[in-house]
């Protein structure tokens, strides 16, 4: 994985906080499966199903049980069952679905965008409800849309 551009919040993942005008390799690993970025934070799923994040983190959006910025990839929890994730726009929250069909969210929830019925920020993933039929999640700046396997859409936030 390679990154470049504005990097003053650690979103490159190369342990620096500088801007780059040419690509720089993020570590030496070659087993990244999916990559998700916002202007200041980055998340990735590896082939082994683990979820990783780095960059700007004032609202717990990295999901690492902290609000400290991260300049290199940090694994979110210890599970290896993540199959789909979303982080969008200028959002300070994120969401992911596990292989068992459960929906998990974290980060800023000032307008209920993480969907747990409250407005309290969460710095690590929390399961949303008990359903196991979620297939996709999509995060916007202050809302979330999730799709169930039967085609039903659920929207939270503003």
């Amino acid at each position: 994985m390679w990154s470049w551009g504005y990097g003053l919040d650690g979103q490159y993942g190369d342990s620096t906080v500088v801007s780059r005008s040419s690509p720089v390799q993020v570590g030496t690993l070659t087993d990244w499966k999916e990559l998700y970025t916002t202007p200041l934070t980055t998340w990735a799923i590896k082939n082994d199903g683990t979820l990783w994040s780095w960059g700007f983190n004032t609202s717990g959006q990295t999901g690492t049980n902290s609000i400290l910025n991260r300049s290199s990839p940090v694994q979110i929890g210890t599970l290896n069952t993540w199959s789909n994730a979303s982080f969008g726009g200028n959002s300070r929250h994120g969401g992911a679905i596990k292989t068992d069909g459960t929906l998990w969210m974290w980060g800023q929830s000032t307008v209920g965008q993480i969907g747990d019925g409250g407005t309290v920020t969460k710095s690590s993933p929390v399961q949303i409800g008990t359903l196991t039929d979620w297939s996709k999640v999509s995060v916007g700046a202050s809302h979330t849309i999730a799709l169930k396997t039967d085609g039903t859409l659920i929207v939270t936030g503003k």
Side-chain angles (χ1 to χ4, degrees):
M1 178 173 28
W2 297 76
S3 62
W4 59 95
Y6 179 88
L8 299 181
D9 293 297
Q11 61 268 47
Y12 291 151
D14 70 345
S15 299
T16 67
V17 288
V18 298
S19 291
R20 305 253 186 210
S21 59
S22 59
V24 61
Q25 188 169 2
V26 179
T28 59
L29 299 176
T30 59
D31 60 344
W32 300 104
K33 177 182 173 186
E34 295 180 25
L35 182 64
Y36 311 90
T37 64
T38 63
L40 302 175
T41 311
T42 305
W43 300 264
I45 296 177
K46 287 186 173 182
N47 288 327
D48 66 4
T50 56
L51 182 60
W52 298 73
S53 64
W54 56 96
F56 190 70
N57 189 37
T58 59
S59 298
Q61 62 265 43
T62 64
T64 57
N65 200 30
S66 165
I67 57 168
L68 298 174
N69 290 357
R70 305 289 184 164
S71 62
S72 59
V74 177
Q75 187 174 345
I76 299 175
T78 59
L79 300 176
N80 63 351
T81 54
W82 301 102
S83 66
N84 171 270
S86 178
F87 310 88
N90 290 324
S91 69
R92 292 189 179 188
H93 73 289
I97 296 172
K98 291 185 179 179
T99 55
D100 65 3
T102 56
L103 175 62
W104 296 74
M105 302 290 299
W106 59 92
Q108 189 175 57
S109 191
T110 53
V111 292
Q113 60 265 49
I114 67 171
D116 67 349
T119 56
V120 175
T121 294
K122 305 288 194 286
S123 61
S124 59
V126 294
Q127 186 174 345
I128 305 304
T130 59
L131 299 177
T132 59
D133 59 348
W134 298 102
S135 64
K136 298 280 184 199
V137 61
S138 183
V139 170
S142 59
H143 69 286
T144 301
I145 300 173
L147 178 66
K148 294 171 66 177
T149 56
D150 68 1
T152 305
L153 282 175
I154 305 295
V155 180
T156 62
K158 177 178 157 187

